[in-house]
C-alpha cells in the first residue's frame, strides 16, 4: 500500500488558508511539509493497482509514483480501478481526470453510485468518454478485488456514517435512513492472511468498527483534527469536528487513547487537516502520539500487509 496523499480536503497548505501551519509551510519551515489530499494505492500482485478514493490531486499523485506510470504499451496502464469510501468531492472529483481510462472498475456503495448519477453526475458526464464497470460494495458480503490466480485483495465494507456530502444534503432529506454514505474498508491479503483497516473518516466508533480495529494487523484512521473546536477557536469555521463528521484525536472522546489500546502492530493517522498541530514535526502533540506508539502518515509512505 502506498500513501499518495495525506491531507484532508484542500491539501496542505490550503489555498485559502492563512493559519500558522499554512503560512509557515509556504515560507519553507523545515518542521512542515506540503501534502496532497488523502488517497491510497494498493496492489496484491505488483501489477494491478487500485486507488482508494480519487481526489483533485490524482494526476500529480500518479505521476509521483513510478509503479502507476503507463506502459509498455502506448495506452497501457497498471491502474485497474478505484475504490470509493464515500461520494465527497475530495474523494470523487478525480474520476473526471481519469476519463481516458476505458477499462477501470469503480467500487462503491449503491448510495454513492446513485449520488454520482444524480447530484454530482460523474457517471452520466463520462458515459461518452469511457465504459467503466461499477461493482457495488455492501456490508453484508466481502468483495474480491483482482484475479484470484495473481493475488487477491478481499474488501470488507464497514458502515461509518449516513451523512451525505453537503452538496447532496438538501436533495437527500427524503431518502431512506438505510442510505449508506460513508464506509470504512478492511483490506484482507488472501495470501498473507493479514489485514489493514482504513477509516479516513470516523464520527464515532460503533461496536462493528471496534471489532474491526481490534482484529486488523495495521490501522490507518481519521486524524483530521487534534481537538473538537480546532477550527472554531481559530475563527476558521463555525462547525466543530463532530458536526463535520470527525472524531478529534485528543480528549476523553478522542481517538488517540482508543488507538493506543488496540493490539495492531501499527497505528497510523491519515486525512490530516491543515490546522492540525501534528503536522509540525517538532510539536508537543506529535510527541504525545509518538509516546503512544501512533504514527502519522506522509506522502510516499509504504506499508506491506
Amino acid at each position: 500500500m502506498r500513501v499518495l496523499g495525506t491531507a484532508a480536503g484542500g491539501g496542505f497548505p490550503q489555498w485559502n488558508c492563512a493559519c500558522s501551519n499554512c503560512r509557515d509551510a509556504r515560507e519553507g519551515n523545515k518542521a512542515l511539509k506540503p501534502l496532497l489530499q488523502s488517497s491510497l494505492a494498493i496492489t496484491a500482485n505488483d501489477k494491478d493497482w487500485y486507488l482508494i478514493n480519487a481526489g483533485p490531486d490524482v494526476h500529480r499523485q500518479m505521476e509521483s509514483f513510478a509503479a502507476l506510470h503507463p506502459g509498455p504499451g502506448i495506452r497501457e496502464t497498471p491502474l485497474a480501478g478505484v475504490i470509493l469510501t464515500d461520494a465527497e468531492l475530495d474523494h470523487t472529483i478525480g474520476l473526471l481526470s481519469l476519463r481516458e481510462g476505458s477499462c477501470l472498475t469503480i467500487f462503491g456503495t449503491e448510495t454513492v453510485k446513485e449520488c454520482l448519477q444524480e447530484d454530482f453526475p460523474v457517471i452520466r458526464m463520462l458515459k461518452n468518454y469511457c465504459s467503466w464497470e461499477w461493482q457495488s460494495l455492501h456490508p453484508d458480503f466481502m468483495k474480491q478485488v483482482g484475479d484470484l490466480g495473481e493475488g487477491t485483495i478481499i474488501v470488507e465494507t464497514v458502515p461509518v456514517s449516513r451523512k451525505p456530502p453537503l452538496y447532496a444534503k438538501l436533495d437527500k432529506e427524503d431518502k431512506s435512513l438505510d442510505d449508506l454514505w460513508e464506509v470504512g474498508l478492511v483490506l484482507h491479503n488472501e495470501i498473507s492472511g493479514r489485514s489493514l483497516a482504513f477509516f479516513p473518516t470516523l464520527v464515532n466508533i460503533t461496536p462493528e468498527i471496534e471489532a474491526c480495529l481490534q482484529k486488523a494487523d495495521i490501522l490507518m484512521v481519521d486524524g483530521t483534527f487534534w481537538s473538537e473546536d480546532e477550527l472554531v477557536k481559530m475563527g476558521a469555521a463555525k462547525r466543530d469536528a463532530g458536526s463535520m463528521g470527525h472524531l478529534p484525536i485528543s480528549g476523553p472522546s478522542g481517538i488517540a487513547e482508543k488507538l493506543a489500546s488496540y493490539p495492531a502492530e501499527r497505528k497510523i493517522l491519515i486525512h490530516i487537516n491543515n490546522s492540525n498541530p501534528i503536522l509540525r514535526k517538532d510539536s508537543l502533540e506529535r510527541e504525545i502520539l509518538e509516546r503512544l506508539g501512533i504514527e502519522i502518515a506522509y506522502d510516499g509512505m509504504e506499508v506491506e500487509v
Side-chain angles (χ1 to χ4, degrees):
M1 184 277 296
R2 169 92 170 201
V3 176
L4 299 177
T6 309
F12 178 67
Q14 184 171 303
W15 70 274
N16 68 333
C17 185
C19 72
S20 59
N21 278 352
C22 289
R23 286 199 312 268
D24 288 351
R26 291 188 185 101
E27 293 170 3
N29 188 317
K30 292 183 179 180
L32 293 156
K33 186 176 181 180
L35 300 168
L36 298 177
Q37 295 184 60
S38 175
S39 179
L40 307 181
I42 61 171
T43 185
N45 58 16
D46 294 320
K47 184 181 73 171
D48 301 309
W49 287 84
Y50 295 84
L51 301 182
I52 300 184
N53 296 326
D57 297 329
V58 66
H59 178 267
R60 291 175 60 192
Q61 290 169 336
M62 293 181 70
E63 286 299 310
S64 73
F65 185 36
L68 293 176
H69 291 176
I74 188 67
R75 285 290 189 266
E76 190 175 347
T77 173
L79 183 62
V82 180
I83 305 170
L84 301 174
T85 61
D86 54 43
E88 295 287 349
L89 292 176
D90 297 332
H91 293 161
T92 58
I93 203 168
L95 294 174
L96 296 172
S97 297
L98 301 175
R99 64 188 178 277
E100 296 90 353
S102 59
C103 299
L104 300 181
T105 302
I106 312 300
F107 298 81
T109 67
E110 283 296 307
T111 304
V112 169
K113 180 182 179 181
E114 182 182 343
C115 186
L116 297 182
Q117 288 174 322
E118 297 180 6
D119 300 279
F120 178 39
V122 172
I123 295 173
R124 287 195 285 118
M125 284 191 286
L126 297 181
K127 68 179 180 180
N128 292 328
Y129 293 88
C130 50
S131 54
W132 292 346
E133 177 189 1
W134 184 275
Q135 290 283 323
S136 292
L137 297 177
H138 196 281
D140 291 342
F141 57 86
M142 298 185 185
K143 180 74 69 172
Q144 176 182 311
V145 175
D147 296 327
L148 185 60
E150 297 184 345
T152 305
I153 301 168
I154 302 297
V155 178
E156 180 181 356
T157 307
V158 187
V160 168
S161 172
R162 305 193 186 283
K163 181 179 78 69
L166 284 176
Y167 69 82
K169 188 171 185 179
L170 294 177
D171 295 334
K172 297 297 177 183
E173 285 181 346
D174 60 343
K175 284 292 185 180
S176 166
L177 292 175
D178 291 332
D179 285 352
L180 186 53
W181 285 98
E182 294 185 355
V183 298
L185 306 172
V186 182
L187 308 172
H188 300 267
N189 183 331
E190 217 173 33
I191 296 174
S192 70
R194 290 158 52 81
S195 64
L196 179 146
F198 178 64
F199 289 85
T201 59
L202 276 177
V203 66
N204 55 54
I205 298 179
T206 65
E208 191 171 7
I209 293 173
E210 174 90 20
C212 293
L213 297 178
Q214 287 281 4
K215 291 188 295 185
D217 298 284
I218 299 173
L219 311 180
M220 185 169 282
V221 302
D222 187 350
T224 307
F225 298 114
W226 175 258
S227 59
E228 177 68 25
D229 59 352
E230 188 170 304
L231 291 181
V232 176
K233 285 176 66 175
M234 64 173 60
K238 294 182 179 180
R239 295 190 299 154
D240 59 20
S243 65
M244 293 185 184
H246 301 282
L247 276 176
I249 297 172
S250 65
S253 62
I255 198 168
E257 290 190 14
K258 292 287 289 183
L259 277 183
S261 69
Y262 297 135
E265 63 189 55
R266 295 183 71 177
K267 302 146 189 181
I268 306 167
L269 295 175
I270 196 168
H271 197 272
I272 302 166
N273 198 60
N274 62 84
S275 57
N276 197 324
I278 68 172
L279 289 173
R280 292 181 177 268
K281 294 181 180 178
D282 56 359
S283 68
L284 174 61
E285 292 83 356
R286 198 175 183 111
E287 183 181 334
I288 290 171
L289 293 178
E290 289 172 354
R291 284 198 229 114
L292 292 172
I294 299 172
E295 303 175 58
I296 300 166
Y298 55 87
D299 293 10
M301 183 183 205
E302 294 189 358
V303 176
E304 184 174 351
V305 182

